[in-house]
């Protein structure tokens, strides 16, 4: 049983999937259809015979990260918009795979592109989750200078989720990227910034 099965223990969950989680290691393909299928299957299995309400925030780092492009001279806001558009590609791939598994899946995009996704409407997304659809939040917050981790925290609060699950390439929350910085410090605990 995968770790994802733990989502069953909650009423409403936001799952954060990093873009890198959709790429096969060593492959040139930004999205691995096999990995996306596997993730969709695991999500579907975790939801079997359970009433867990699920939203997914997907990243775009398998295609593009605004900060890296900006470090190489590109205007940061533009680079971030490119990054947000990258998350939409991942969202569509994941949506199709979840539908293959028989899940109803609706993509809400913070940047409007009605041909492929609903414009993000908080109350609508919440109602769709309540009736059992999986909602994918694409295009991050819709604003540059943020990350999709921030988006997950934001949407989790907006949707009244009990918990955020984070599926990523590292085993916890660090003060910097542990794959690049051998001195990166892992936080054993984090506090909730927002209190009602
Ligand atoms: N991004 C942004 N605003 C947001 C969310 C994302 O500008 O609210 C951009 C940013 O450039 C980021 C990129 O989208 O680098 C991809 O998101 P992220 O790096 O969080 O993806 P992940 O690391 O989870 O794959």
């Amino acid at each position: 049983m995968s770790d994802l099965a733990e989502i069953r223990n909650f009423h409403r969950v936001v799952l954060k999937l990093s873009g890198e989680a959709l790429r096969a290691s060593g492959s040139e393909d930004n999205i691995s259809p096999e990995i996306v299928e596997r993730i969709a299957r695991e999500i579907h299995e975790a939801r079997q015979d359970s009433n867990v309400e699920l939203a997914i925030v997907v990243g775009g780092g398998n295609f593009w990260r605004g900060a890296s492009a900006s470090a190489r001279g590109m205007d940061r806001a533009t680079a971030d918009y490119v990054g947000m558009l990258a998350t939409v590609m991942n969202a569509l791939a994941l949506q199709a795979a979840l539908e293959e598994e028989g899940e109803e899946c609706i993509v809400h995009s913070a940047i409007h592109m009605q041909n492929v996704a609903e414009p993000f409407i908080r109350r609508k997304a919440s109602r769709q989750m309540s009736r059992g659809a999986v909602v994918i939040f694409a295009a991050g917050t819709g604003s540059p200078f943020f990350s999709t981790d921030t988006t997950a925290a934001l949407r989790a609060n907006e949707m009244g989720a009990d918990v955020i699950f984070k599926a990523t390439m590292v085993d916890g929350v660090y003060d910097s990227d542990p794959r690049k910085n051998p001195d990166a410090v892992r936080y054993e605990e984090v506090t909730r910034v927002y209190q009602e």
Side-chain angles (χ1 to χ4, degrees):
M1 195 185 286
S2 83
D3 293 345
L4 266 180
E6 301 225 0
I7 64 173
R8 302 164 60 88
N9 300 327
F10 297 91
H11 168 62
R12 183 169 267 205
V13 172
V14 167
L15 170 66
K16 163 69 207 296
L17 283 177
S18 77
E20 290 289 352
L22 308 186
R23 184 211 288 274
S25 64
S27 165
E28 285 188 354
D29 296 336
N30 298 87
I31 297 177
S32 156
E34 294 79 14
I35 289 181
V36 175
E37 266 172 40
R38 198 194 68 216
I39 292 171
R41 196 165 50 246
E42 284 184 18
I43 290 170
H44 178 62
E45 281 168 8
R47 275 164 56 83
Q48 288 286 300
D49 306 318
S50 109
N51 293 322
V52 63
E53 297 174 6
L54 179 66
I56 300 170
V57 172
V58 67
N62 50 330
F63 285 103
W64 184 271
R65 282 206 174 83
S68 314
S70 146
R72 290 159 61 195
M74 191 171 182
D75 161 65
R76 175 64 191 260
T78 304
D80 278 342
Y81 276 105
V82 175
M84 286 186 271
L85 297 184
T87 72
V88 181
M89 291 191 267
N90 289 334
L92 296 183
L94 197 57
Q95 178 188 40
L98 281 163
E99 285 175 348
E100 276 294 309
E101 293 293 330
E103 296 281 354
E104 183 191 1
C105 182
I106 301 155
V107 178
H108 280 243
S109 176
I111 295 174
H112 293 191
M113 44 179 97
Q114 280 92 327
N115 290 2
V116 292
E118 299 212 7
F120 170 62
I121 300 174
R122 184 183 68 86
R123 295 171 68 90
K124 195 170 181 186
S126 185
R127 280 199 305 274
Q128 290 164 341
M129 288 174 75
S130 297
R131 68 168 160 77
V134 177
V135 168
I136 302 181
F137 293 121
T141 60
S143 298
F145 302 101
F146 290 101
S147 71
T148 50
D149 282 358
T150 320
T151 311
L154 174 66
R155 296 287 183 249
N157 275 301
E158 286 183 284
M159 294 296 134
D162 311 306
V163 67
I164 300 173
F165 277 65
K166 189 166 187 273
T168 185
M169 302 303 280
V170 290
D171 64 348
V173 179
Y174 289 79
D175 65 349
S176 56
D177 187 342
R179 291 170 303 175
K180 293 184 186 147
N181 175 12
D183 298 322
V185 177
R186 184 171 189 267
Y187 296 120
E188 296 305 324
E189 271 183 35
V190 287
T191 49
R192 184 176 163 155
V193 182
Y194 170 79
Q195 295 287 353
E196 294 200 22

